[in-house]
């Protein structure tokens, strides 16, 4: 009785380990296809084809937002620190959209290297704090938002 | 099933004695009201601090309050599935009579927590991200978790023989556990729209203490609620099985 239990323990444990290994291998193989967005560096490195619908993510570069008066067209640059992509987008932007904010833009790479946005999503970071704390951090110069969290995959 | 109750295992101790349904019923019956009271108290405190007596977030404003409902629901969803996986392992290896009962009891509770996490996440995502849903690695893996719960429930009910049903469900519970590390680390392994962990990360939490307090109160409340629901459902399941056994015994006697 005891030995049969031990045998089952080994069988089930080995089964779980093999399954975990198989899942890990599969996920590693699919790595590039599981990312939700690419970085501007990927774009620069030629990972996307012209006209292909992809997502790029990064921070909205400071001072790059230009709204065309009389239309809903906004132009801005998305940066991951190593490369930037120029994006034009027509439509309503999310509330959190502003300079220094992480965004994910779905759209197409145009022949001239610009990026035509179809959908703009704001990315929220993992920091939660009251406005007073944020103000105090900004005042004391400890504010690290934006430079603290470059999108993953940046430069790689 | 009977072998676990009949022969005493010197190393089994506590778990072995729990295999006696009457003993488990007594222990669970004693624990339930205490845990229920703790859940009520923690929910009252957590909701008070979470929805009223806590600061707004510097960029999400009042939307941050959704976190106090969403994050513990997601944690408990994962804990519920861990329960299924552990129950499955215990059933397959030791044939503990309570393992299947625990799995049957925890699965719908886990499905409900997962559903709550998905819905509150969508409600938060719409104003924050600008979309209800995206197919990023985190959201997709949690949706798969929801389907795993449903699959477990369906599979458990798909057989006429309870022993075979218990075994099949246990294997699914164990296999599906592969999804748990994927959910947890999806935000670190891949680019996702969902932000990385704020609380369960190395170093200090990236969340202000005034916001961490209601979050932890709510997490405690969810944990107590989960335990109460599972214990009550386990007792119900054991009682139901006993009634079934008595009825079939009587039917046999009449014939």
């Amino acid at each position: 009785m005891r030995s049969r239990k031990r045998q089952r323990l080994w069988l089930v444990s080995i089964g779980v380990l093999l399954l975990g290994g198989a899942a890990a291998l599969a996920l590693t193989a699919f790595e590039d296809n599981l990312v939700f967005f690419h970085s501007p560096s990927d774009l620069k490195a030629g990972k996307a084809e012209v006209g292909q619908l992809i997502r790029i993510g990064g921070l909205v570069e400071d001072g790059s937002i230009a709204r065309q008066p009389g239309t809903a067209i906004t132009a801005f640059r998305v940066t991951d620190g190593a490369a930037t992509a120029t994006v034009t987008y027509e439509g309503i932007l999310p509330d959190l959209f502003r300079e220094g904010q992480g965004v994910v833009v779905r759209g197409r790479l145009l022949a001239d290297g610009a990026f035509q946005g179809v959908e703009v999503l704001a990315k929220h970071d993992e920091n939660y704090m009251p406005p007073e704390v944020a103000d105090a951090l900004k005042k004391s110069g400890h504010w690290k938002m934006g430079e603290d969290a470059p999108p993953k995959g940046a430069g790689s | 099933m009977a072998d676990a109750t009949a022969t005493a295992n010197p190393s089994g101790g506590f778990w072995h004695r729990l295999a006696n349904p009457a003993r488990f019923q007594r222990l669970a019956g004693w624990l339930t009201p205490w845990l229920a009271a703790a859940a009520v108290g923690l929910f009252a405190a957590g909701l008070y601090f979470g929805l009223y007596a806590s600061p707004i977030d510097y960029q999400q404003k009042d939307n941050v309050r959704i976190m106090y409902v969403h994050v513990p629901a997601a944690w408990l969803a994962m804990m519920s599935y861990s329960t299924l996986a552990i129950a499955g392992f215990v059933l397959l290896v030791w044939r503990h009579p309570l393992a299947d009962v625990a799995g049957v009891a925890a699965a719908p509770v886990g499905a409900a927590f997962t559903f709550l996490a998905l819905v509150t996440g969508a409600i938060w995502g719409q104003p924050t991200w600008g979309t209800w849903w995206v197919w990023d690695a985190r959201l997709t893996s949690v949706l798969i978790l929801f389907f795993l719960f449903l699959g477990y429930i369906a599979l458990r009910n798909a057989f006429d023989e309870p022993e075979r049903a218990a075994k099949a469900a246990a294997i699914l519970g164990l296999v599906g556990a592969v999804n748990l590390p994927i959910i947890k680390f999806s935000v670190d392994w891949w680019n996702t729209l969902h932000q990385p962990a704020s609380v369960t990360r190395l170093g200090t939490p990236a969340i202000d203490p005034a916001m961490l307090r209601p979050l932890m109160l709510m997490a405690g409340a969810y944990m107590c609620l989960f335990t109460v629901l599972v214990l009550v459902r386990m007792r119900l399941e054991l009682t139901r099985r006993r009634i079934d056994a008595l009825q079939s015994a009587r039917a046999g006697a009449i014939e």
Side-chain angles (χ1 to χ4, degrees), chain B residues 117-251:
Chain B
L118 287 168
V119 169
T120 51
I123 294 170
W124 180 84
Q126 170 57 28
T128 314
W129 294 335
T131 182
W132 299 100
W133 180 264
V134 290
W135 294 99
D136 84 343
R138 169 59 71 85
L139 277 66
T140 308
S141 56
V142 174
L143 185 67
I144 291 172
L145 181 74
F146 181 61
F147 292 145
L148 280 171
F149 278 118
L150 297 189
Y152 185 96
I153 297 166
L155 191 62
R156 185 63 187 72
N157 291 312
F159 294 86
D160 288 330
E161 298 165 59
E163 295 235 351
R164 183 173 283 198
K167 217 171 191 177
I171 291 170
L172 177 64
L174 205 51
V175 168
V178 164
N179 195 23
L180 291 178
I182 297 177
I183 294 175
K184 168 73 184 124
F185 297 111
S186 55
V187 288
D188 303 319
W189 290 342
W190 302 294
N191 292 333
T192 53
L193 187 60
H194 195 286
Q195 60 270 34
S198 300
V199 181
T200 53
R201 63 172 203 173
L202 295 172
T204 49
I207 175 167
D208 193 84
M211 296 169 171
L212 192 58
R213 178 173 48 201
L215 181 62
M216 286 302 152
L217 286 169
M218 288 298 279
Y222 273 60
M223 201 98 85
C224 291
L225 178 68
F226 170 75
T227 317
V228 167
L229 289 176
V230 169
L231 284 180
V232 168
R233 285 181 51 80
M234 282 178 79
R235 296 184 74 198
L236 273 173
E237 177 70 16
L238 283 169
T239 310
R240 196 186 59 73
R241 286 181 188 190
R242 191 164 157 68
I243 291 170
D244 281 355
L246 287 173
Q247 271 176 347
S248 55
R250 203 173 67 173

Side-chain angles (χ1 to χ4, degrees), chain A residues 33-115:
Chain A
N33 299 311
L34 283 170
V35 294
F36 184 63
F37 57 85
H38 298 274
S39 62
S41 296
D42 293 341
L43 214 59
K44 207 175 159 191
K47 279 201 180 177
E49 284 168 36
V50 171
Q52 185 193 358
L53 202 60
I54 59 156
R55 292 192 190 86
I56 59 164
L59 302 172
V60 179
E61 200 170 69
D62 279 342
S64 75
I65 302 176
R67 287 175 215 274
Q68 282 187 24
T71 66
I73 300 172
T74 312
F76 55 94
R77 283 195 300 277
V78 173
T79 177
D80 63 1
T84 59
T86 308
V87 178
T88 54
Y89 170 72
E90 181 170 10
I92 297 164
L93 293 158
D95 290 350
L96 285 185
F97 182 88
R98 63 193 171 193
E99 291 170 359
Q101 177 71 36
V103 289
V104 175
V105 185
R106 189 164 63 99
R108 286 186 177 84
L109 184 67
L110 302 178
D112 61 355
F115 197 80

Side-chain angles (χ1 to χ4, degrees), chain A residues 9-20:
Chain A
L9 177 65
W10 278 108
L11 274 175
V12 174
S13 304
I14 289 169
V16 168
L17 279 179
L18 287 177
L19 189 77

Side-chain angles (χ1 to χ4, degrees), chain A residues 8 37 98 126 129 152, chain B residues 58-59 93 187 191 195 198:
Chain A
R8 286 202 299 261
F37 57 85
R98 63 193 171 193
E126 69 271 36
M129 67 182 87
K152 270 164 289 170
Chain B
Y58 76 106
Q59 46 181 355
V93 175
V187 288
N191 292 333
Q195 60 270 34
S198 300

